[in-house]
Amino acid sequence: MNRRGSNRYMLTTIFMFGLMTGINSGLQASDNQLLPDLSPEKVADYMHSIIEADRNIYTTYVVKRMQEQGIVLAREDWETKNAIPLPAQFLHLSSKLVAESGVGIRFRLISLWPIHRRNGPATEFERKGLESLQHSPESPQRGIVTSGKKKFFQAIYADTAINTACASCHNAHPLSPKRDFQVGDLMGGVVITIPLEQ
Amino acid sequence: MDTPPTSATAVTRKKGLTKKLVISMLLVGALPLLIGLFLAFYQGTQKIQEVNGTSFKALASETARKLDLVVADEVSHTSLLTTDVNLIRFLEDQRDGLSTLTSANLSEVLAQEQTAWEAGDLDSTKRITQGPIAENLRKHIEGTYIDPGHPIPIITRSTTRALYITDIAGRIVASVDTNPSYLHAEELWWQSAFHKGVGQPFLGPIAFDPQLQTYTFTLALPIMDSLRYEAIGVLRRVYDTKEFFAPSIDTIRFGETGHVMLIDSRGVVLSCPILPTGTSLSDNQLIPLVTPMQAGWTPAPSDGHGGQDTSIIGFAPLTNTNRITEASNGLGWHMFVWQSSEELFAPIQQFFRWTAGFGLLGVGLLVTLGYLAAHRITSPIRQLQEAARRIGRGEFQEPLTISTGDEIEELAEEINRMNKQLASQFAGLESQVQLKTEEVKYLQESTSQILDSVPDPVFMITKNNTIEYLNQASKEILELSGNGSIIGSPLFQILKVDPKTQNKLEGEIHTIQTTSLQLDVPPLSTPAISELRDPLAQSGWDQSVGTRPELRMRHRTYRYRWFTVEAGPGKEAFVGLVLRDTTEESALQDRLIQGEKLASLGVLSSGIGHELNNPLVGVIGLGEAIQDEEDISNMKGYAKDIVQHGKRMASIIRDFTGQMTSQSSEKVPIDIHAPLTRAMNVVQAQFPNSAITMHKEFGSVPLVRANPYEIEQAFTNILTNAFQAIQGTGTIDITTALNEGHIDIRIADSGSGIAPTHLPKVFDPFFTTKSQGEGSGLGLTVAYRIVKKLRGHIRLEDNARQGTVCHITIPIPGEVSIPRKEDE
């Protein structure tokens, strides 16, 4: 494993610890016949609260403090510039790690105005969900989606600009399709996908 | 003229000064030049390195960015294929279909299909290469594919060597040709792109493809399901490495050798206008230098192209591309910009050559000019040196003419002035020296003449007892002629004496040489006649012949005397020997002594005869009278007379022999004033009618050890003599005094004095000027003997005014230390 990989691994460990604990407890509950089945909505809600908490902690207590004390900056090209990942990249990296872990539950950060096209909505459900969240950010969009014969539960949670750094960075990025974000605006959503056993 | 060493030294010194001056000029002129040259070269080299390095770095960064874009563009275009809705639906169906099979069935199905594909089964070939998906792929390669989101046809490169799609099981579902194998699930690119269903792009390492006979690399992209939940297939595109990169890289050339190349972090060349693709850099040590994560430049020990010259290499990683390649296989791609150092440093080397050439020219000029300048400075100095040397040797010369207008000219004037002064002083000195030399010669000659005219032989001998000089008289007595053989020969070879004398002489020479003192030898004269005149005097004959300074040679007798002659400074003093021939003198003296003896004996015998004859005649006459006399009383009277006569004769004999009769001869410490006073009284009493007055003036004198009766006798005799010398009235002055260890006693009378012819005989026995019967002629003889017994001296002098003076000196013995008595 090269340096860049180990860096990434270290930076996402904090997130993984909390996340895995939550997932494991949900699965144990569903395995245990004595306990009532845990609904996918609940699992998605648990996951989202952990994801959000981790990302907010990273943003507030790591990135901000590091930058304020002049120790290290967070920037997009952190891999080659001796920096740490942006909070959004933190989420992407943790999303990849979760996917690679093979537990089945996956999540993505998507937006109607993505800087990279791969982070746009993949399906009509996702597009509609994001559009709905624009009007009512507090109510996550949930539904059953299919891929071929496979069925999945998906929930989309609103992701807003929690500080000026989020908004100003997206407004200034050359690849950004939207450049008028304000603090508190909806910037995208976190899609949590849970495969449904048949 | 010159003695060789002097001349050699002078030449060395001359060279030294010129050399020093030239070296100084070189140091002053050439050293800064060389230092400046070196610094310019060093600085120039550094600057060229820096400027070129920075340019190379910039070029490498720029090319890397360009390649990044090219690769990103390629990935982006290719990824359009993976988002095709029909393809995704097809692959989802494939996935769902396969999910119904058990693993055993799946393996069986896959094996059957593989066999069919490899056998070129028409159905499967058609299904895979002719289907709508394959058609899409073909369109993409041909450049006619239109993406729904991009209305403009994509211009693709003709570098694609393979393009096919596999499903979730890794089997091929669509391909532009039949070249690929059927199953790929075990291959690296597939597993990496599929990434356990997560999916990630793969950009493969360069490798030789034996089927295509070229170096290729793979771009593999995962195909995600409609939810982008998981990968359901993989698209693989294989590129010809050289053809892919060459248009972007090989066209960048600068200078003759400057170019850009792409390598991976193993050092394998992906594309280079010089090195073939697939080869490695020639120097492995270069690889870590040029493949860091940042762009930069470095001076490298080799160029990576087989050359071992120091090179300047610019480098830059393909930052974005490497994110994919390193995640795929750990290898990064790097730009490498290089120009041969020969070409790179050609300008500075040219500059250096030119400057070095000019520098050498400058040094040559400096040496030449320095030599000329040094010559100008040293030649007057050499003139001065030569002049000083000649003056030092006393070769006076013409005045120096140096007109340099500086200190050297002043120095030359000083030397001229000094030369003039020296010349005048030397002229005076020369005449003086000549004068002195003549004087010395004259002195030598005159000394020689004086010595030759001396009748006594004179020798001078060195400390080795060899003869240094001998005068004419010496040659004559030794019957020698010429000087040659004598000078330097031993003394006693020439002076032939008996061994005993020779020993004595040698001892004396040794004493003189060791003590360097004049020997206290008696004066070279005949012994005082007065001492020899007294045949009864003992002292004069005490010396034996052996101790006297006399030697006999060739039947002649010589008295001799030693003396020392101071030699010149630093030389040993000579010892001189003077001889005097005393042969005749000795004979004469012997005869004289004999005559004196006989004369004295005559006086003595006549005196004795005369003195004894009278009483003897009386004794004979009285004897005859007794013979004839009958009367006893008359006889007694005669006998009494005979006794008187006998006593008189006895008295005469006693005086003659000098023996005191009854008085003790014992010596005691006495004050001489006591016997002197008694003697005066006795004499006064003897001449009661005389009109003579005595004046005594006694000084303070110490005691002497003597017989008081004897010394009184001596004074009585002298005073009696003085009384008898005075006819009628007169005075006698008696004085005593202490004088340098002697007691001086002076008795001066105002008498008739002594005739000069009588003076030498006054102490002879029986010598008298008085008529018969008045004196025996023994009084002064007795006084003489007594004084001599005290080791004193007595002499009579004719007083200058009137009368006679008797001087008596008595030595004070050192051992006698008796307090002096005050006795007046």
Side-chain angles (χ1 to χ4, degrees):
Chain A
M1 187 172 279
N2 62 21
R3 197 166 76 89
R4 200 176 298 164
S6 84
N7 200 6
R8 177 172 11 188
Y9 177 80
M10 277 161 53
L11 283 163
T12 52
T13 307
I14 313 158
F15 179 87
M16 280 303 298
F17 180 74
L19 188 65
M20 296 306 287
T21 316
I23 292 169
N24 285 341
S25 62
L27 289 174
Q28 275 172 0
S30 66
D31 286 347
N32 194 333
Q33 295 300 312
L34 296 173
L35 292 173
D37 278 349
L38 194 62
S39 71
E41 291 94 328
K42 287 279 182 197
V43 173
D45 284 351
Y46 291 158
M47 275 189 69
H48 175 250
S49 65
I50 293 166
I51 291 165
E52 196 175 32
D54 283 347
R55 206 258 306 257
N56 286 350
I57 284 166
Y58 178 72
T59 307
T60 313
Y61 297 132
V62 179
V63 174
K64 204 169 159 219
R65 284 173 70 88
M66 290 275 193
Q67 287 187 350
E68 279 170 0
Q69 293 179 22
I71 295 168
V72 68
L73 290 176
R75 49 189 293 171
E76 190 183 4
D77 52 355
W78 59 273
E79 286 163 295
T80 54
K81 299 291 184 190
N82 195 24
I84 55 175
L86 294 166
Q89 288 174 314
F90 175 83
L91 207 66
H92 288 305
L93 289 168
S94 48
S95 155
K96 191 173 179 227
L97 272 184
V98 170
E100 284 168 359
S101 70
V103 294
I105 301 175
R106 299 184 183 184
F107 64 92
R108 292 194 296 135
L109 182 63
I110 60 169
S111 170
L112 289 170
W113 315 279
I115 286 174
H116 296 290
R117 232 178 71 180
R118 60 178 178 270
N119 295 325
T123 60
E124 200 58 26
F125 173 77
E126 287 176 2
R127 180 179 304 279
K128 292 233 173 82
L130 286 173
E131 282 168 0
S132 307
L133 285 173
Q134 274 188 290
H135 308 296
S136 51
E138 280 75 33
S139 50
Q141 301 296 309
R142 300 188 178 91
I144 305 292
V145 292
T146 55
S147 161
K149 289 177 182 173
K150 275 191 165 181
K151 283 186 181 173
F152 299 90
F153 171 81
Q154 273 196 332
I156 307 174
Y157 300 85
D159 195 49
T160 55
I162 58 167
N163 58 37
T164 50
C166 307
S168 60
C169 180
H170 272 261
N171 290 343
H173 200 284
L175 294 178
S176 175
K178 181 177 160 73
R179 292 164 182 269
D180 55 355
F181 289 111
Q182 306 277 324
V183 176
D185 280 2
L186 180 87
M187 298 185 80
V190 176
V191 186
I192 295 173
T193 309
I194 300 170
L196 296 173
E197 300 302 325
Q198 292 167 13
Chain B
M1 283 284 285
D2 282 347
T3 50
T6 317
S7 146
T9 317
V11 168
T12 321
R13 214 175 288 137
K14 271 182 227 162
K15 275 182 181 170
L17 191 54
T18 310
K19 208 171 170 184
K20 275 181 198 166
L21 283 168
V22 172
I23 287 173
S24 309
M25 288 179 187
L26 271 179
L27 283 175
V28 169
L31 203 62
L33 182 80
L34 288 175
I35 291 171
L37 191 63
F38 175 75
L39 281 179
F41 180 69
Y42 179 76
Q43 280 289 329
T45 311
Q46 290 295 310
K47 208 73 197 164
I48 279 193
Q49 282 197 355
E50 203 175 310
V51 167
N52 282 285
T54 315
S55 305
F56 288 3
K57 176 191 170 187
L59 182 59
S61 302
E62 210 44 54
T63 317
R65 192 166 297 129
K66 183 174 138 190
L67 278 189
D68 257 347
L69 287 176
V70 167
V71 171
D73 194 42
E74 191 66 27
V75 171
S76 161
H77 289 161
T78 311
S79 70
L80 288 178
L81 288 171
T82 66
T83 55
D84 183 71
V85 181
N86 294 325
L87 173 66
I88 291 170
R89 193 173 299 130
F90 173 73
L91 288 174
E92 279 178 345
D93 291 345
Q94 291 285 317
R95 174 195 67 191
D96 295 342
L98 286 170
S99 67
T100 57
L101 296 174
T102 62
S103 62
N105 287 342
L106 179 63
S107 302
E108 196 179 326
V109 169
L110 291 179
Q112 281 173 4
E113 287 176 356
Q114 185 183 19
T115 313
W117 169 260
E118 282 171 1
D121 176 63
L122 276 180
D123 278 352
S124 81
T125 306
K126 192 179 176 186
R127 175 170 54 86
I128 289 168
T129 61
Q130 306 290 323
I133 301 167
E135 207 56 40
N136 253 357
L137 297 178
R138 200 167 289 115
K139 280 182 189 169
H140 185 89
I141 290 174
E142 288 164 359
T144 53
Y145 174 77
I146 297 174
D147 182 70
H150 291 77
I152 306 159
I154 311 263
I155 298 163
T156 57
R157 299 166 184 272
S158 58
T159 58
T160 307
R161 290 290 171 264
L163 178 61
Y164 52 91
I165 291 169
T166 67
D167 64 6
I168 196 168
R171 61 182 174 180
I172 193 162
V173 292
S175 170
V176 292
D177 52 31
T178 57
N179 288 338
S181 54
Y182 190 71
L183 292 172
H184 301 279
E186 300 302 319
E187 290 175 27
L188 174 69
W189 62 267
W190 192 90
Q191 287 178 349
S192 178
F194 186 74
H195 196 59
K196 302 170 189 168
V198 178
Q200 66 178 16
F202 172 91
L203 200 54
I206 170 173
F208 186 75
D209 187 327
Q211 197 178 1
L212 297 170
Q213 285 297 308
T214 184
Y215 282 93
T216 60
F217 70 91
T218 293
L219 171 65
L221 297 173
I223 299 165
M224 305 301 286
D225 66 8
S226 56
L227 299 175
R228 288 193 205 160
Y229 172 79
E230 62 177 0
I232 49 175
V234 176
L235 174 142
R236 186 193 188 194
R237 193 167 183 173
V238 176
Y239 298 92
D240 183 312
T241 312
K242 181 73 181 171
E243 287 191 21
F244 184 85
F245 288 111
S248 311
I249 290 174
D250 290 12
T251 52
I252 304 173
R253 298 295 294 266
F254 48 96
E256 288 194 6
T257 58
H259 67 278
V260 178
M261 62 192 283
L262 180 67
I263 58 171
D264 68 15
S265 47
R266 295 173 299 177
V268 175
V269 174
L270 273 69
S271 181
C272 173
I274 294 171
L275 294 174
T277 301
T279 53
S280 288
L281 286 184
S282 60
D283 185 0
N284 279 333
Q285 292 174 343
L286 204 59
I287 296 167
L289 276 180
V290 299
T291 57
M293 284 170 52
Q294 297 84 25
W297 67 273
T298 183
S302 64
D303 57 18
H305 289 63
Q308 291 301 319
D309 291 337
T310 306
S311 307
I312 305 299
I313 295 170
F315 48 83
L318 274 62
T319 315
N320 293 326
T321 310
N322 284 355
R323 215 173 288 152
I324 305 172
T325 57
E326 285 180 4
S328 308
N329 49 49
L331 295 176
W333 290 356
H334 299 266
M335 293 314 302
F336 182 108
V337 177
W338 170 81
Q339 187 176 18
S340 84
S341 50
E342 214 169 285
E343 190 183 351
L344 203 57
F345 293 111
I348 190 78
Q349 274 164 2
Q350 181 76 3
F351 165 77
F352 183 70
R353 273 195 292 275
W354 272 101
T355 327
F358 281 122
L360 274 179
L361 202 66
V363 170
L365 267 175
L366 264 176
V367 170
T368 314
L369 291 176
Y371 186 81
L372 286 175
H375 184 72
R376 275 185 69 84
I377 293 170
T378 52
S379 64
I381 291 177
R382 266 181 240 166
Q383 269 182 282
L384 286 174
Q385 187 194 20
E386 178 63 21
R389 199 164 72 227
R390 295 185 63 159
I391 290 169
R393 283 204 306 259
E395 298 169 11
F396 297 103
Q397 56 161 23
E398 291 298 304
L400 284 166
T401 48
I402 293 173
S403 49
T404 53
D406 53 17
E407 288 86 344
I408 293 175
E409 188 179 332
E410 285 173 23
L411 184 58
E413 284 165 10
E414 288 296 327
I415 284 182
N416 285 340
R417 202 170 299 135
M418 184 180 80
N419 190 15
K420 214 180 284 174
Q421 283 188 356
L422 277 177
S424 60
Q425 283 179 5
F426 267 112
L429 272 181
E430 255 179 11
S431 63
Q432 279 187 6
V433 166
Q434 206 171 351
L435 204 65
K436 290 287 171 194
T437 314
E438 282 171 8
E439 276 180 18
V440 166
K441 207 183 282 178
Y442 167 77
L443 270 177
Q444 279 181 342
E445 281 176 4
S446 60
T447 309
S448 181
Q449 282 171 356
I450 289 167
L451 284 174
D452 282 346
S453 65
V454 167
D456 295 332
V458 177
F459 301 86
M460 288 213 272
I461 54 173
T462 62
K463 62 179 233 177
N464 298 324
N465 291 357
T466 56
I467 289 176
E468 176 69 20
Y469 172 82
L470 73 176
N471 68 350
Q472 194 58 37
S474 317
K475 290 175 195 167
E476 283 167 6
I477 65 152
L478 299 170
E479 294 169 5
L480 297 166
S481 62
N483 265 336
S485 57
I486 306 157
I487 305 298
S489 41
L491 175 68
F492 294 107
Q493 195 175 324
I494 305 295
L495 208 63
K496 287 191 166 55
V497 291
D498 59 283
K500 194 180 165 192
T501 314
Q502 183 174 336
N503 280 343
K504 181 184 138 197
L505 293 178
E506 278 171 352
E508 284 170 2
I509 292 171
H510 182 72
T511 310
I512 291 174
Q513 283 170 344
T514 50
T515 57
S516 297
L517 289 170
Q518 199 81 24
L519 260 194
D520 187 16
V521 291
L524 191 66
S525 63
T526 50
I529 300 295
S530 61
E531 287 178 24
L532 300 171
R533 291 290 286 276
D534 184 359
L536 303 176
Q538 297 300 310
S539 61
W541 302 97
D542 282 347
Q543 282 179 307
S544 69
V545 175
T547 58
R548 280 196 305 193
E550 273 185 1
L551 57 90
R552 283 190 67 79
M553 186 170 61
R554 294 167 188 260
H555 310 294
R556 296 190 75 82
T557 307
Y558 299 91
R559 287 183 78 84
Y560 64 87
R561 186 177 177 186
W562 298 106
F563 61 100
T564 52
V565 179
E566 286 300 318
K571 290 181 185 170
E572 295 272 347
F574 296 121
V575 176
L577 175 65
V578 186
L579 299 183
R580 174 165 292 172
D581 188 346
T582 55
T583 314
E584 281 84 8
E585 226 171 66
S586 297
L588 185 67
Q589 200 178 327
D590 287 348
R591 278 201 301 277
L592 200 61
I593 289 168
Q594 195 64 35
E596 291 281 334
K597 274 182 186 170
L598 287 175
S600 294
L601 202 60
V603 174
L604 187 66
S605 26
S606 73
I608 290 171
H610 179 74
E611 288 293 322
L612 293 182
N613 199 42
N614 287 347
L616 205 56
V617 169
V619 169
I620 292 167
L622 288 170
E624 283 171 349
I626 289 170
Q627 281 177 337
D628 297 334
E629 189 60 60
E630 298 295 329
D631 186 8
I632 198 78
S633 61
N634 284 345
M635 277 172 62
K636 280 186 178 175
Y638 295 151
K640 195 179 175 185
D641 288 345
I642 288 170
V643 171
Q644 272 185 338
H645 285 297
K647 279 183 179 175
R648 179 170 166 78
M649 283 190 286
S651 163
I652 290 166
I653 288 168
R654 189 186 65 220
D655 282 351
F656 174 67
T657 54
Q659 281 176 355
M660 293 301 161
T661 46
S662 59
Q663 276 77 16
S664 156
S665 63
E666 187 191 352
K667 282 184 177 180
V668 292
I670 53 159
D671 182 352
I672 57 160
H673 292 155
L676 189 52
T677 311
R678 281 199 301 274
M680 284 161 69
N681 295 337
V682 167
V683 175
Q684 193 86 49
Q686 279 178 3
F687 301 90
N689 300 321
S690 70
I692 295 167
T693 53
M694 288 192 285
H695 300 289
K696 60 175 182 180
E697 192 179 331
F698 292 168
S700 171
V701 295
L703 302 183
V704 293
R705 185 177 280 272
N707 185 329
Y709 304 105
E710 276 186 2
I711 202 159
E712 187 189 330
Q713 179 70 50
F715 286 137
T716 307
N717 290 359
I718 293 165
L719 285 171
T720 304
N721 203 51
F723 264 79
Q724 287 171 346
I726 299 171
Q727 308 293 325
T729 59
T731 54
I732 296 174
D733 297 325
I734 302 155
T735 54
T736 61
L738 181 65
N739 185 20
E740 292 180 357
H742 293 91
I743 297 169
D744 277 348
I745 304 155
R746 186 172 178 275
I747 299 167
D749 64 66
S750 58
S752 53
I754 301 167
T757 50
H758 290 159
L759 266 181
K761 299 180 180 177
V762 289
F763 295 111
D764 289 358
F766 304 110
F767 176 81
T768 181
T769 55
K770 299 178 189 79
S771 54
Q772 196 66 44
E774 276 186 46
S776 65
L778 284 174
L780 287 180
T781 306
V782 169
Y784 182 89
R785 286 195 198 137
I786 290 167
V787 171
K788 279 289 168 186
K789 271 166 85 176
L790 293 173
R791 293 191 300 281
H793 293 283
I794 180 168
R795 73 176 188 276
L796 283 180
E797 278 179 7
D798 198 33
N799 196 332
R801 292 173 293 151
Q802 193 186 7
T804 311
V805 180
C806 178
H807 290 284
I808 303 165
T809 55
I810 299 167
I812 303 163
E815 65 268 23
V816 178
S817 57
I818 295 156
R820 181 171 49 82
K821 275 195 290 182
E822 287 298 326
D823 190 345
E824 278 301 314

